[in-house]
Amino acid sequence: MTDNQLLKEKHVEYIINLDKKKEDFEYWVTEHLRMNGMYWGLSALSILNSIDKMNKEETIEWVLSCQQPNGGFSGNNQHDDHLLSTLSAVQILLQFDALDRLNIDAVVDYVVSLQQPDGSFFGDRWGEVDTRFTYCAVSILSLLNKLDKINQDKVVEFIGKCRNFDGGYGCLPGAESHAGQTFTCIGTLAILHRLHEIDIDTIGWWLCERQLPNGGLNGRPEKSSDVCYSWWVLSSLSAIDRLHWIDQDKLRSYIIDCQDQETGGIADKPQDLPDVFHTFFGLCGLSLMGYYNLEHIDPVYALPTKTLRKLKHLNLTWNKH
């Protein structure tokens, strides 16, 4: 692509048509991720100022149908509950101003039950631990104004154990630094107003080193660029006020080159097929950098800033918009 045009209308069309492709293999092989996919698609439409294109009532009813007896949400009907899909459910309902239809106490009890003595969280009853799940739990409780229900100091202590010598964070103590895990840890500390726990310049340098000569970002050293890191890296840099440390014009060009000019949507790399995951995170990157007059996405909660401002209990101290 020779110019820097964002194909807004094509992206909207691509997203609203995703649920109509029920003859595609990809539709069924990803059915367990439907809640996450719904959040990515809805939030992308919100960034594009087109949330009204989604069938609000039908979506709300489907989301609520996925709540399990234990309070958690599954990725789709007849699937198991998980913190990942529970956060997506809360994020969807919040964007539709439908939190009043949620059994909040049941959700809170579910999340609280998954915290472990060391401050970490299981993703579900099967016992996997990952900093992603810590972020999900803290984000859910923060959005619902129930952070007092967990041991926050233990959460911070666990996150601290996942920090490495390079400033980055892994999924567990001793695990390799990764941009996605770094976002979950910085996001968790930001929500808990504990960003002072971070060596900001060290992690800022590690994050800005994720930019490659083609303008794109990778998740860790020696890996190729991928559009999704336009979120994982930029959100972290934005939260610690180091967004200016990368070449934003080069990154914009990389994201634009990953657009599908025929169908709409954004792919992981130029010339690859688009998907809703990379479409959302590509748009997030452009939003964080302030291009194309897109709706601003909050770098910590991954929700539109205008949506979060409806929650009077939130203190978005990192948000300059």
Side-chain angles (χ1 to χ4, degrees):
M1 190 175 293
T2 57
D3 58 31
N4 277 321
Q5 178 186 6
L6 179 66
L7 307 174
K8 291 185 180 182
E9 292 76 15
K10 282 188 175 291
H11 295 328
V12 170
E13 183 179 357
Y14 170 78
I15 294 165
I16 62 177
N17 284 327
L18 283 171
D19 206 44
K20 299 176 183 177
K21 299 180 178 180
K22 297 184 179 179
E23 299 302 318
D24 292 0
F25 172 74
E26 183 183 8
Y27 181 92
W28 294 107
V29 81
T30 61
E31 68 152 348
H32 63 294
L33 298 173
R34 191 71 65 235
M35 189 71 75
N36 302 126
M38 188 69 73
Y39 155 69
W40 298 327
L42 177 67
S43 302
L45 289 176
S46 188
I47 293 172
L48 293 165
N49 295 294
S50 298
I51 194 172
D52 59 318
K53 302 288 185 180
M54 186 80 80
N55 188 315
K56 177 179 177 178
E57 189 56 33
E58 182 180 293
T59 303
I60 291 172
E61 289 183 1
W62 174 79
V63 170
L64 293 174
S65 75
C66 292
Q67 188 168 26
Q68 303 302 304
N70 64 4
F73 282 80
S74 56
N76 205 339
N77 300 126
Q78 300 180 352
H79 284 269
D80 290 340
D81 54 90
H82 199 284
L83 274 177
L84 291 170
S85 46
T86 302
L87 174 58
S88 289
V90 171
Q91 290 169 319
I92 293 167
L93 294 173
L94 177 58
Q95 290 184 77
F96 278 140
D97 296 318
L99 282 184
D100 60 326
R101 297 171 63 176
L102 177 66
N103 185 341
I104 291 177
D105 289 340
V107 175
V108 172
D109 288 345
Y110 171 74
V111 174
V112 171
S113 73
L114 293 170
Q115 187 174 30
Q116 303 307 301
D118 67 351
S120 66
F121 282 82
F122 288 167
D124 57 19
R125 64 181 180 276
W126 302 113
E128 181 184 6
V129 172
D130 189 306
T131 47
R132 291 179 301 156
F133 311 150
T134 300
Y135 168 79
C136 288
V138 169
S139 184
I140 291 166
L141 295 178
S142 176
L143 292 172
L144 299 179
N145 199 19
K146 298 291 185 179
L147 272 175
D148 61 315
K149 300 296 185 180
I150 57 169
N151 188 327
Q152 297 177 42
D153 288 337
K154 279 293 186 180
V155 171
V156 174
E157 184 180 321
F158 172 71
I159 293 294
K161 292 176 181 177
C162 297
R163 184 173 59 236
N164 293 313
F165 71 93
D166 54 15
Y169 292 81
C171 60
L172 293 165
E176 178 185 12
S177 295
H178 189 282
Q181 309 296 152
T182 296
F183 158 76
T184 65
C185 293
I186 289 179
T188 298
L189 293 175
I191 292 171
L192 297 177
H193 302 291
R194 301 285 288 270
L195 281 176
H196 60 273
E197 304 278 346
I198 298 173
D199 183 342
I200 287 178
D201 284 344
T202 299
I203 185 53
W205 181 249
W206 184 84
L207 287 164
C208 75
E209 282 189 318
R210 305 279 59 78
Q211 189 164 35
L212 301 177
N214 65 3
L217 303 166
N218 65 16
R220 48 199 168 115
E222 306 302 323
K223 295 296 182 178
S224 61
S225 54
D226 186 314
V227 156
C228 71
Y229 295 109
S230 305
W231 167 255
W232 306 118
V233 173
L234 288 195
S235 58
S236 299
L237 286 171
S238 182
I240 62 173
D241 197 24
R242 296 295 185 273
L243 195 56
H244 56 287
W245 280 16
I246 66 160
D247 188 327
Q248 296 182 32
D249 285 340
K250 287 188 71 174
L251 177 56
R252 172 179 65 169
S253 295
Y254 179 81
I255 297 171
I256 292 299
D257 284 345
C258 292
Q259 296 181 115
D260 191 309
Q261 297 187 68
E262 293 183 9
T263 67
I266 301 174
D268 58 340
K269 296 175 174 58
Q271 309 305 317
D272 281 0
L273 291 174
D275 59 72
V276 66
F277 176 86
H278 290 94
T279 299
F280 172 52
F281 288 124
L283 292 170
C284 282
L286 295 173
S287 170
L288 286 173
M289 293 186 290
Y291 291 118
Y292 306 110
N293 195 34
L294 298 170
E295 189 65 46
H296 184 257
I297 190 84
D298 184 86
V300 170
Y301 288 100
L303 286 166
T305 301
K306 67 177 184 181
T307 298
L308 293 169
R309 284 181 174 152
K310 298 176 184 178
L311 300 178
K312 301 305 182 183
H313 65 273
L314 294 184
N315 180 12
L316 309 179
T317 54
W318 53 84
N319 206 316
K320 308 298 192 296
H321 293 258

